[in-house]
Short mmCIF file of all heavy atoms in Angstrom, two decimals:
data_model
loop_
_atom_site.label_atom_id
_atom_site.label_comp_id
_atom_site.label_asym_id
_atom_site.label_seq_id
_atom_site.Cartn_x
_atom_site.Cartn_y
_atom_site.Cartn_z
N PRO Z 131 -21.67 -18.17 24.46
CA PRO Z 131 -22.92 -18.33 25.22
C PRO Z 131 -24.02 -17.41 24.73
O PRO Z 131 -25.19 -17.63 24.85
CB PRO Z 131 -22.52 -18.04 26.65
CG PRO Z 131 -21.29 -17.24 26.56
CD PRO Z 131 -20.57 -17.70 25.31
N LYS Z 132 -23.60 -16.24 24.20
CA LYS Z 132 -24.54 -15.25 23.66
C LYS Z 132 -23.95 -14.67 22.41
O LYS Z 132 -22.84 -14.17 22.35
CB LYS Z 132 -24.83 -14.16 24.65
CG LYS Z 132 -25.91 -13.20 24.22
CD LYS Z 132 -26.22 -12.16 25.30
CE LYS Z 132 -27.31 -11.20 24.86
NZ LYS Z 132 -27.60 -10.15 25.89
N ILE Z 133 -24.76 -14.73 21.30
CA ILE Z 133 -24.18 -14.24 19.99
C ILE Z 133 -24.67 -12.82 19.71
O ILE Z 133 -25.74 -12.36 20.22
CB ILE Z 133 -24.61 -15.16 18.84
CG1 ILE Z 133 -26.16 -15.17 18.63
CG2 ILE Z 133 -24.09 -16.51 19.11
CD1 ILE Z 133 -26.60 -15.88 17.41
N ASP Z 134 -23.93 -12.14 18.83
CA ASP Z 134 -24.34 -10.90 18.29
C ASP Z 134 -25.22 -11.21 17.03
O ASP Z 134 -24.70 -11.72 16.04
CB ASP Z 134 -23.11 -10.05 17.89
CG ASP Z 134 -23.46 -8.68 17.33
OD1 ASP Z 134 -24.40 -8.60 16.49
OD2 ASP Z 134 -22.80 -7.69 17.71
N ILE Z 135 -26.50 -10.94 17.14
CA ILE Z 135 -27.43 -11.39 16.10
C ILE Z 135 -27.11 -10.74 14.74
O ILE Z 135 -27.12 -11.39 13.70
CB ILE Z 135 -28.92 -11.04 16.51
CG1 ILE Z 135 -29.29 -11.90 17.72
CG2 ILE Z 135 -29.87 -11.32 15.34
CD1 ILE Z 135 -30.62 -11.59 18.28
N GLU Z 136 -26.78 -9.42 14.75
CA GLU Z 136 -26.47 -8.76 13.49
C GLU Z 136 -25.19 -9.34 12.86
O GLU Z 136 -25.10 -9.54 11.62
CB GLU Z 136 -26.34 -7.27 13.72
CG GLU Z 136 -27.65 -6.56 14.05
CD GLU Z 136 -27.49 -5.06 14.13
OE1 GLU Z 136 -26.37 -4.53 13.89
OE2 GLU Z 136 -28.48 -4.39 14.48
N GLU Z 137 -24.18 -9.56 13.69
CA GLU Z 137 -22.94 -10.12 13.22
C GLU Z 137 -23.16 -11.54 12.68
O GLU Z 137 -22.63 -11.90 11.59
CB GLU Z 137 -21.89 -10.14 14.37
CG GLU Z 137 -20.53 -10.66 13.93
CD GLU Z 137 -19.58 -10.72 15.10
OE1 GLU Z 137 -19.13 -9.63 15.53
OE2 GLU Z 137 -19.27 -11.83 15.57
N ASN Z 138 -23.98 -12.31 13.38
CA ASN Z 138 -24.24 -13.65 12.93
C ASN Z 138 -24.98 -13.69 11.61
O ASN Z 138 -24.65 -14.45 10.67
CB ASN Z 138 -25.11 -14.38 14.00
CG ASN Z 138 -25.05 -15.88 13.88
OD1 ASN Z 138 -23.94 -16.47 13.83
ND2 ASN Z 138 -26.16 -16.55 13.86
N ALA Z 139 -25.93 -12.77 11.45
CA ALA Z 139 -26.65 -12.64 10.18
C ALA Z 139 -25.69 -12.26 9.03
O ALA Z 139 -25.84 -12.79 7.91
CB ALA Z 139 -27.77 -11.65 10.34
N ALA Z 140 -24.77 -11.41 9.33
CA ALA Z 140 -23.80 -10.98 8.33
C ALA Z 140 -22.90 -12.15 7.89
O ALA Z 140 -22.54 -12.25 6.73
CB ALA Z 140 -22.95 -9.83 8.88
N ARG Z 141 -22.56 -13.00 8.81
CA ARG Z 141 -21.74 -14.20 8.48
C ARG Z 141 -22.49 -15.05 7.40
O ARG Z 141 -21.91 -15.43 6.40
CB ARG Z 141 -21.50 -15.05 9.68
CG ARG Z 141 -20.55 -14.48 10.72
CD ARG Z 141 -20.47 -15.45 11.88
NE ARG Z 141 -19.84 -14.87 13.04
CZ ARG Z 141 -18.59 -15.01 13.40
NH1 ARG Z 141 -17.76 -15.77 12.61
NH2 ARG Z 141 -18.10 -14.47 14.48
N PHE Z 142 -23.78 -15.26 7.68
CA PHE Z 142 -24.53 -16.13 6.79
C PHE Z 142 -24.80 -15.45 5.45
O PHE Z 142 -24.79 -16.09 4.40
CB PHE Z 142 -25.91 -16.51 7.44
CG PHE Z 142 -25.71 -17.49 8.61
CD1 PHE Z 142 -26.27 -17.16 9.82
CD2 PHE Z 142 -25.03 -18.68 8.44
CE1 PHE Z 142 -26.09 -18.03 10.90
CE2 PHE Z 142 -24.88 -19.56 9.47
CZ PHE Z 142 -25.41 -19.24 10.75
N GLU Z 143 -25.01 -14.14 5.46
CA GLU Z 143 -25.19 -13.38 4.23
C GLU Z 143 -23.94 -13.47 3.41
O GLU Z 143 -23.96 -13.66 2.17
CB GLU Z 143 -25.54 -11.94 4.53
CG GLU Z 143 -25.80 -11.10 3.31
CD GLU Z 143 -26.15 -9.65 3.64
OE1 GLU Z 143 -26.40 -9.36 4.84
OE2 GLU Z 143 -26.23 -8.84 2.69
N ASN Z 144 -22.80 -13.35 4.06
CA ASN Z 144 -21.52 -13.42 3.34
C ASN Z 144 -21.29 -14.82 2.79
O ASN Z 144 -20.82 -15.00 1.66
CB ASN Z 144 -20.41 -13.08 4.34
CG ASN Z 144 -19.01 -12.93 3.58
OD1 ASN Z 144 -18.87 -12.02 2.78
ND2 ASN Z 144 -18.09 -13.80 3.92
N LEU Z 145 -21.67 -15.85 3.56
CA LEU Z 145 -21.56 -17.24 3.07
C LEU Z 145 -22.37 -17.47 1.85
O LEU Z 145 -21.90 -18.00 0.85
CB LEU Z 145 -21.96 -18.18 4.21
CG LEU Z 145 -22.12 -19.65 3.82
CD1 LEU Z 145 -20.77 -20.22 3.41
CD2 LEU Z 145 -22.70 -20.45 4.94
N LEU Z 146 -23.65 -17.07 1.88
CA LEU Z 146 -24.56 -17.34 0.76
C LEU Z 146 -24.09 -16.56 -0.48
O LEU Z 146 -24.22 -17.03 -1.61
CB LEU Z 146 -25.99 -16.99 1.16
CG LEU Z 146 -26.56 -17.84 2.27
CD1 LEU Z 146 -27.92 -17.37 2.69
CD2 LEU Z 146 -26.62 -19.33 1.88
N LEU Z 147 -23.52 -15.38 -0.26
CA LEU Z 147 -22.96 -14.60 -1.38
C LEU Z 147 -21.85 -15.35 -2.06
O LEU Z 147 -21.77 -15.43 -3.29
CB LEU Z 147 -22.46 -13.22 -0.89
CG LEU Z 147 -21.67 -12.38 -1.87
CD1 LEU Z 147 -22.59 -11.98 -3.03
CD2 LEU Z 147 -21.08 -11.17 -1.20
N ASN Z 148 -20.93 -15.92 -1.27
CA ASN Z 148 -19.78 -16.61 -1.80
C ASN Z 148 -20.13 -17.94 -2.38
O ASN Z 148 -19.30 -18.53 -3.13
CB ASN Z 148 -18.71 -16.79 -0.72
CG ASN Z 148 -17.91 -15.54 -0.44
OD1 ASN Z 148 -17.66 -14.76 -1.36
ND2 ASN Z 148 -17.50 -15.32 0.79
N LEU Z 149 -21.30 -18.43 -2.11
CA LEU Z 149 -21.76 -19.74 -2.70
C LEU Z 149 -22.49 -19.59 -3.97
O LEU Z 149 -22.89 -20.62 -4.55
CB LEU Z 149 -22.64 -20.45 -1.66
CG LEU Z 149 -21.92 -21.11 -0.48
CD1 LEU Z 149 -22.88 -21.53 0.59
CD2 LEU Z 149 -21.12 -22.33 -0.97
N LYS Z 150 -22.80 -18.42 -4.41
CA LYS Z 150 -23.53 -18.20 -5.63
C LYS Z 150 -22.85 -18.86 -6.81
O LYS Z 150 -21.66 -18.77 -6.96
CB LYS Z 150 -23.79 -16.72 -5.94
CG LYS Z 150 -24.77 -16.08 -5.00
CD LYS Z 150 -24.98 -14.62 -5.42
CE LYS Z 150 -26.07 -13.98 -4.48
NZ LYS Z 150 -26.31 -12.52 -4.82
N PRO Z 151 -23.61 -19.57 -7.63
CA PRO Z 151 -23.00 -20.27 -8.82
C PRO Z 151 -22.28 -19.32 -9.73
O PRO Z 151 -22.67 -18.19 -9.89
CB PRO Z 151 -24.27 -20.90 -9.50
CG PRO Z 151 -25.33 -20.93 -8.47
CD PRO Z 151 -25.05 -19.75 -7.59
N ALA Z 152 -21.27 -19.89 -10.34
CA ALA Z 152 -20.48 -19.16 -11.41
C ALA Z 152 -19.83 -17.89 -10.91
O ALA Z 152 -19.53 -16.97 -11.65
CB ALA Z 152 -21.35 -18.83 -12.60
N THR Z 153 -19.60 -17.82 -9.60
CA THR Z 153 -18.86 -16.62 -9.07
C THR Z 153 -17.69 -17.12 -8.29
O THR Z 153 -17.67 -18.22 -7.70
CB THR Z 153 -19.76 -15.81 -8.13
OG1 THR Z 153 -20.16 -16.57 -7.02
CG2 THR Z 153 -21.00 -15.32 -8.85
N GLN Z 154 -16.65 -16.34 -8.20
CA GLN Z 154 -15.52 -16.68 -7.34
C GLN Z 154 -15.75 -16.04 -5.95
O GLN Z 154 -16.51 -15.12 -5.76
CB GLN Z 154 -14.23 -16.10 -7.98
CG GLN Z 154 -13.90 -16.77 -9.29
CD GLN Z 154 -12.47 -16.45 -9.71
OE1 GLN Z 154 -11.78 -15.69 -9.09
NE2 GLN Z 154 -12.04 -17.11 -10.77
N LEU Z 155 -15.03 -16.63 -5.02
CA LEU Z 155 -15.07 -16.13 -3.65
C LEU Z 155 -14.71 -14.63 -3.64
O LEU Z 155 -13.69 -14.22 -4.19
CB LEU Z 155 -14.15 -16.90 -2.76
CG LEU Z 155 -14.55 -18.41 -2.67
CD1 LEU Z 155 -13.40 -19.18 -2.02
CD2 LEU Z 155 -15.79 -18.60 -1.83
N LYS Z 156 -15.59 -13.82 -3.08
CA LYS Z 156 -15.40 -12.37 -3.16
C LYS Z 156 -15.12 -11.67 -1.83
O LYS Z 156 -14.26 -10.83 -1.74
CB LYS Z 156 -16.71 -11.78 -3.79
CG LYS Z 156 -16.97 -12.16 -5.20
CD LYS Z 156 -18.23 -11.51 -5.69
CE LYS Z 156 -18.55 -11.87 -7.15
NZ LYS Z 156 -19.79 -11.24 -7.63
N SER Z 157 -15.84 -12.04 -0.82
CA SER Z 157 -15.81 -11.28 0.40
C SER Z 157 -15.29 -12.08 1.59
O SER Z 157 -15.78 -13.18 1.85
CB SER Z 157 -17.22 -10.75 0.75
OG SER Z 157 -17.23 -9.92 1.90
N LEU Z 158 -14.32 -11.57 2.23
CA LEU Z 158 -13.64 -12.25 3.37
C LEU Z 158 -14.07 -11.69 4.73
O LEU Z 158 -14.01 -10.46 4.91
CB LEU Z 158 -12.12 -12.16 3.18
CG LEU Z 158 -11.24 -12.84 4.21
CD1 LEU Z 158 -11.38 -14.33 4.19
CD2 LEU Z 158 -9.77 -12.42 3.96
N ALA Z 159 -14.51 -12.56 5.62
CA ALA Z 159 -14.89 -12.13 6.98
C ALA Z 159 -13.60 -12.21 7.84
O ALA Z 159 -13.05 -13.28 8.01
CB ALA Z 159 -15.97 -13.00 7.56
N ILE Z 160 -13.14 -11.10 8.32
CA ILE Z 160 -11.90 -11.04 9.08
C ILE Z 160 -12.20 -10.89 10.58
O ILE Z 160 -12.86 -9.91 10.99
CB ILE Z 160 -11.02 -9.86 8.55
CG1 ILE Z 160 -10.72 -10.02 7.09
CG2 ILE Z 160 -9.72 -9.78 9.39
CD1 ILE Z 160 -10.08 -8.81 6.46
N THR Z 161 -11.70 -11.81 11.34
CA THR Z 161 -11.92 -11.80 12.76
C THR Z 161 -10.93 -10.82 13.41
O THR Z 161 -9.69 -10.98 13.27
CB THR Z 161 -11.73 -13.19 13.38
OG1 THR Z 161 -12.60 -14.12 12.68
CG2 THR Z 161 -12.07 -13.17 14.87
N THR Z 162 -11.41 -9.84 14.17
CA THR Z 162 -10.58 -8.89 14.87
C THR Z 162 -10.86 -8.94 16.33
O THR Z 162 -11.81 -9.65 16.77
CB THR Z 162 -10.80 -7.49 14.36
OG1 THR Z 162 -12.11 -7.05 14.74
CG2 THR Z 162 -10.68 -7.43 12.80
N ALA Z 163 -10.19 -8.13 17.13
CA ALA Z 163 -10.43 -8.11 18.56
C ALA Z 163 -11.83 -7.60 18.88
O ALA Z 163 -12.43 -7.86 19.93
CB ALA Z 163 -9.39 -7.27 19.24
N ASN Z 164 -12.36 -6.76 17.94
CA ASN Z 164 -13.67 -6.12 18.16
C ASN Z 164 -14.86 -6.83 17.51
O ASN Z 164 -16.00 -6.39 17.60
CB ASN Z 164 -13.62 -4.67 17.70
CG ASN Z 164 -12.62 -3.87 18.47
OD1 ASN Z 164 -12.50 -3.98 19.72
ND2 ASN Z 164 -11.88 -3.03 17.78
N GLY Z 165 -14.57 -7.91 16.76
CA GLY Z 165 -15.62 -8.58 16.06
C GLY Z 165 -15.22 -8.98 14.63
O GLY Z 165 -14.16 -9.55 14.44
N LEU Z 166 -16.06 -8.65 13.65
CA LEU Z 166 -15.82 -9.01 12.25
C LEU Z 166 -15.77 -7.81 11.36
O LEU Z 166 -16.52 -6.82 11.56
CB LEU Z 166 -16.96 -9.98 11.75
CG LEU Z 166 -16.95 -11.38 12.18
CD1 LEU Z 166 -18.18 -12.08 11.63
CD2 LEU Z 166 -15.68 -12.15 11.79
N ILE Z 167 -14.93 -7.89 10.33
CA ILE Z 167 -14.86 -6.87 9.34
C ILE Z 167 -14.98 -7.66 7.97
O ILE Z 167 -14.27 -8.65 7.77
CB ILE Z 167 -13.59 -6.06 9.30
CG1 ILE Z 167 -13.49 -5.17 10.56
CG2 ILE Z 167 -13.49 -5.19 8.04
CD1 ILE Z 167 -12.18 -4.43 10.70
N PHE Z 168 -15.90 -7.23 7.13
CA PHE Z 168 -16.07 -7.89 5.83
C PHE Z 168 -15.33 -7.06 4.78
O PHE Z 168 -15.59 -5.89 4.61
CB PHE Z 168 -17.52 -8.03 5.47
CG PHE Z 168 -18.27 -9.02 6.40
CD1 PHE Z 168 -18.84 -8.52 7.57
CD2 PHE Z 168 -18.25 -10.35 6.12
CE1 PHE Z 168 -19.50 -9.38 8.44
CE2 PHE Z 168 -18.89 -11.21 6.94
CZ PHE Z 168 -19.54 -10.77 8.12
N LEU Z 169 -14.39 -7.71 4.11
CA LEU Z 169 -13.49 -7.03 3.16
C LEU Z 169 -13.51 -7.75 1.81
O LEU Z 169 -13.34 -8.96 1.73
CB LEU Z 169 -12.08 -7.00 3.70
CG LEU Z 169 -10.99 -6.23 2.95
CD1 LEU Z 169 -11.34 -4.75 3.00
CD2 LEU Z 169 -9.63 -6.47 3.61
N ASN Z 170 -13.69 -6.98 0.73
CA ASN Z 170 -13.62 -7.54 -0.61
C ASN Z 170 -12.20 -7.94 -0.92
O ASN Z 170 -11.26 -7.23 -0.64
CB ASN Z 170 -14.13 -6.55 -1.65
CG ASN Z 170 -15.58 -6.31 -1.57
OD1 ASN Z 170 -16.36 -7.20 -1.17
ND2 ASN Z 170 -16.05 -5.13 -1.93
N LEU Z 171 -12.04 -9.13 -1.49
CA LEU Z 171 -10.68 -9.63 -1.85
C LEU Z 171 -9.99 -8.66 -2.72
O LEU Z 171 -8.76 -8.49 -2.62
CB LEU Z 171 -10.82 -11.01 -2.52
CG LEU Z 171 -10.48 -12.23 -1.65
CD1 LEU Z 171 -11.52 -12.34 -0.53
CD2 LEU Z 171 -10.38 -13.47 -2.50
N GLN Z 172 -10.67 -8.07 -3.65
CA GLN Z 172 -9.99 -7.16 -4.60
C GLN Z 172 -9.41 -5.92 -3.97
O GLN Z 172 -8.64 -5.19 -4.55
CB GLN Z 172 -11.03 -6.71 -5.69
CG GLN Z 172 -12.18 -5.88 -5.14
CD GLN Z 172 -13.21 -5.58 -6.19
OE1 GLN Z 172 -13.25 -6.19 -7.25
NE2 GLN Z 172 -14.04 -4.52 -5.92
N ASP Z 173 -9.75 -5.67 -2.69
CA ASP Z 173 -9.22 -4.46 -1.99
C ASP Z 173 -7.98 -4.82 -1.16
O ASP Z 173 -7.42 -3.88 -0.57
CB ASP Z 173 -10.28 -3.91 -1.05
CG ASP Z 173 -11.47 -3.31 -1.80
OD1 ASP Z 173 -11.30 -2.93 -2.97
OD2 ASP Z 173 -12.60 -3.30 -1.31
N ILE Z 174 -7.52 -6.05 -1.08
CA ILE Z 174 -6.39 -6.45 -0.27
C ILE Z 174 -5.10 -6.28 -1.09
O ILE Z 174 -4.93 -6.83 -2.13
CB ILE Z 174 -6.49 -7.89 0.19
CG1 ILE Z 174 -7.74 -8.08 1.06
CG2 ILE Z 174 -5.23 -8.28 0.95
CD1 ILE Z 174 -8.01 -9.54 1.47
N LEU Z 175 -4.20 -5.47 -0.60
CA LEU Z 175 -2.93 -5.25 -1.22
C LEU Z 175 -1.91 -6.36 -0.82
O LEU Z 175 -1.36 -7.04 -1.68
CB LEU Z 175 -2.33 -3.89 -0.84
CG LEU Z 175 -3.10 -2.63 -1.24
CD1 LEU Z 175 -2.59 -1.43 -0.50
CD2 LEU Z 175 -3.06 -2.42 -2.72
N TYR Z 176 -1.69 -6.46 0.51
CA TYR Z 176 -0.78 -7.53 0.99
C TYR Z 176 -1.08 -7.73 2.46
O TYR Z 176 -1.83 -6.95 3.13
CB TYR Z 176 0.69 -7.13 0.76
CG TYR Z 176 1.22 -5.94 1.52
CD1 TYR Z 176 1.81 -6.03 2.74
CD2 TYR Z 176 1.10 -4.63 0.96
CE1 TYR Z 176 2.32 -4.93 3.38
CE2 TYR Z 176 1.59 -3.54 1.61
CZ TYR Z 176 2.17 -3.66 2.81
OH TYR Z 176 2.65 -2.58 3.49
N LEU Z 177 -0.49 -8.81 3.00
CA LEU Z 177 -0.67 -9.15 4.42
C LEU Z 177 0.69 -9.35 5.03
O LEU Z 177 1.63 -9.87 4.38
CB LEU Z 177 -1.49 -10.46 4.52
CG LEU Z 177 -2.91 -10.46 3.89
CD1 LEU Z 177 -2.82 -10.93 2.48
CD2 LEU Z 177 -3.87 -11.35 4.70
N GLU Z 178 0.82 -9.00 6.28
CA GLU Z 178 2.10 -9.02 6.99
C GLU Z 178 1.88 -9.82 8.32
O GLU Z 178 1.03 -9.49 9.08
CB GLU Z 178 2.63 -7.65 7.27
CG GLU Z 178 3.96 -7.68 8.03
CD GLU Z 178 4.45 -6.24 8.37
OE1 GLU Z 178 3.66 -5.28 8.14
OE2 GLU Z 178 5.56 -6.10 8.87
N ALA Z 179 2.72 -10.80 8.56
CA ALA Z 179 2.70 -11.55 9.78
C ALA Z 179 3.19 -10.72 10.97
O ALA Z 179 4.14 -9.95 10.83
CB ALA Z 179 3.55 -12.86 9.68
N SER Z 180 2.49 -10.90 12.11
CA SER Z 180 2.94 -10.25 13.32
C SER Z 180 2.67 -11.22 14.48
O SER Z 180 1.67 -11.21 15.14
CB SER Z 180 2.14 -8.95 13.59
OG SER Z 180 2.56 -8.30 14.77
N GLY Z 181 3.64 -12.18 14.64
CA GLY Z 181 3.45 -13.24 15.60
C GLY Z 181 2.26 -14.13 15.22
O GLY Z 181 2.19 -14.62 14.09
N ASN Z 182 1.30 -14.30 16.13
CA ASN Z 182 0.13 -15.10 15.83
C ASN Z 182 -1.00 -14.22 15.23
O ASN Z 182 -2.12 -14.67 15.14
CB ASN Z 182 -0.39 -15.81 17.09
CG ASN Z 182 0.54 -16.91 17.52
OD1 ASN Z 182 1.12 -17.59 16.65
ND2 ASN Z 182 0.73 -17.10 18.81
N TYR Z 183 -0.68 -12.97 14.93
CA TYR Z 183 -1.64 -12.08 14.31
C TYR Z 183 -1.17 -11.72 12.88
O TYR Z 183 -0.04 -12.04 12.47
CB TYR Z 183 -1.75 -10.80 15.13
CG TYR Z 183 -2.37 -11.07 16.51
CD1 TYR Z 183 -1.55 -11.48 17.56
CD2 TYR Z 183 -3.70 -10.88 16.73
CE1 TYR Z 183 -2.10 -11.71 18.86
CE2 TYR Z 183 -4.28 -11.11 17.98
CZ TYR Z 183 -3.46 -11.53 19.03
OH TYR Z 183 -3.96 -11.77 20.27
N THR Z 184 -2.05 -11.03 12.17
CA THR Z 184 -1.74 -10.61 10.80
C THR Z 184 -2.26 -9.24 10.53
O THR Z 184 -3.41 -8.93 10.83
CB THR Z 184 -2.36 -11.63 9.78
OG1 THR Z 184 -1.86 -12.90 9.95
CG2 THR Z 184 -2.04 -11.16 8.35
N PHE Z 185 -1.40 -8.35 9.98
CA PHE Z 185 -1.82 -7.04 9.49
C PHE Z 185 -2.29 -7.19 8.07
O PHE Z 185 -1.55 -7.78 7.22
CB PHE Z 185 -0.72 -6.02 9.64
CG PHE Z 185 -0.44 -5.52 10.97
CD1 PHE Z 185 0.65 -5.92 11.72
CD2 PHE Z 185 -1.36 -4.63 11.58
CE1 PHE Z 185 0.87 -5.44 13.01
CE2 PHE Z 185 -1.18 -4.18 12.86
CZ PHE Z 185 -0.04 -4.56 13.56
N ILE Z 186 -3.44 -6.71 7.74
CA ILE Z 186 -3.98 -6.75 6.40
C ILE Z 186 -3.96 -5.31 5.85
O ILE Z 186 -4.62 -4.42 6.42
CB ILE Z 186 -5.42 -7.33 6.34
CG1 ILE Z 186 -5.38 -8.73 6.90
CG2 ILE Z 186 -5.98 -7.29 4.95
CD1 ILE Z 186 -6.74 -9.32 7.16
N TYR Z 187 -3.21 -5.10 4.81
CA TYR Z 187 -3.15 -3.76 4.18
C TYR Z 187 -4.11 -3.74 2.99
O TYR Z 187 -3.89 -4.43 2.01
CB TYR Z 187 -1.74 -3.47 3.74
CG TYR Z 187 -0.77 -3.35 4.89
CD1 TYR Z 187 -0.20 -4.46 5.48
CD2 TYR Z 187 -0.42 -2.11 5.42
CE1 TYR Z 187 0.67 -4.35 6.56
CE2 TYR Z 187 0.46 -1.99 6.50
CZ TYR Z 187 1.01 -3.10 7.07
OH TYR Z 187 1.86 -3.00 8.10
N ALA Z 188 -5.15 -2.96 3.14
CA ALA Z 188 -6.17 -2.83 2.07
C ALA Z 188 -6.04 -1.46 1.40
O ALA Z 188 -5.27 -0.64 1.87
CB ALA Z 188 -7.59 -3.06 2.61
N THR Z 189 -6.83 -1.25 0.40
CA THR Z 189 -6.72 0.01 -0.35
C THR Z 189 -7.14 1.21 0.53
O THR Z 189 -6.63 2.34 0.26
CB THR Z 189 -7.64 -0.03 -1.60
OG1 THR Z 189 -8.94 -0.44 -1.20
CG2 THR Z 189 -7.10 -1.04 -2.62
N THR Z 190 -8.03 0.95 1.52
CA THR Z 190 -8.48 2.13 2.31
C THR Z 190 -8.26 1.96 3.80
O THR Z 190 -8.57 2.89 4.58
CB THR Z 190 -10.02 2.34 2.09
OG1 THR Z 190 -10.70 1.10 2.43
CG2 THR Z 190 -10.32 2.67 0.62
N GLN Z 191 -7.70 0.83 4.24
CA GLN Z 191 -7.55 0.64 5.67
C GLN Z 191 -6.46 -0.41 5.96
O GLN Z 191 -6.08 -1.18 5.12
CB GLN Z 191 -8.90 0.24 6.33
CG GLN Z 191 -9.47 -1.03 5.72
CD GLN Z 191 -10.84 -1.33 6.33
OE1 GLN Z 191 -11.10 -1.16 7.50
NE2 GLN Z 191 -11.78 -1.77 5.48
N LYS Z 192 -6.07 -0.41 7.22
CA LYS Z 192 -5.16 -1.41 7.75
C LYS Z 192 -5.83 -2.15 8.93
O LYS Z 192 -6.35 -1.52 9.83
CB LYS Z 192 -3.84 -0.78 8.26
CG LYS Z 192 -2.82 -1.67 8.91
CD LYS Z 192 -1.61 -0.89 9.36
CE LYS Z 192 -0.63 -1.75 10.13
NZ LYS Z 192 0.49 -0.91 10.66
#
Side-chain angles (χ1 to χ4, degrees):
K132 185 178 180 180
I133 64 170
D134 183 314
I135 294 175
E136 291 185 3
E137 181 181 289
N138 201 50
R141 290 177 194 263
F142 290 125
E143 183 179 349
N144 190 65
L145 171 64
L146 296 174
L147 171 66
N148 281 327
L149 282 167
K150 286 183 178 179
T153 62
Q154 294 194 354
L155 298 166
K156 294 180 178 179
S157 182
L158 180 65
I160 300 169
T161 306
T162 69
N164 297 319
L166 285 177
I167 293 176
F168 293 92
L169 186 65
N170 289 331
L171 257 66
Q172 64 184 18
D173 294 334
I174 299 175
L175 298 167
Y176 65 93
L177 303 91
E178 179 184 7
S180 180
N182 290 324
Y183 294 84
T184 300
F185 283 107
I186 300 169
Y187 294 83
T189 53
T190 59
Q191 59 185 318
K192 176 182 175 183

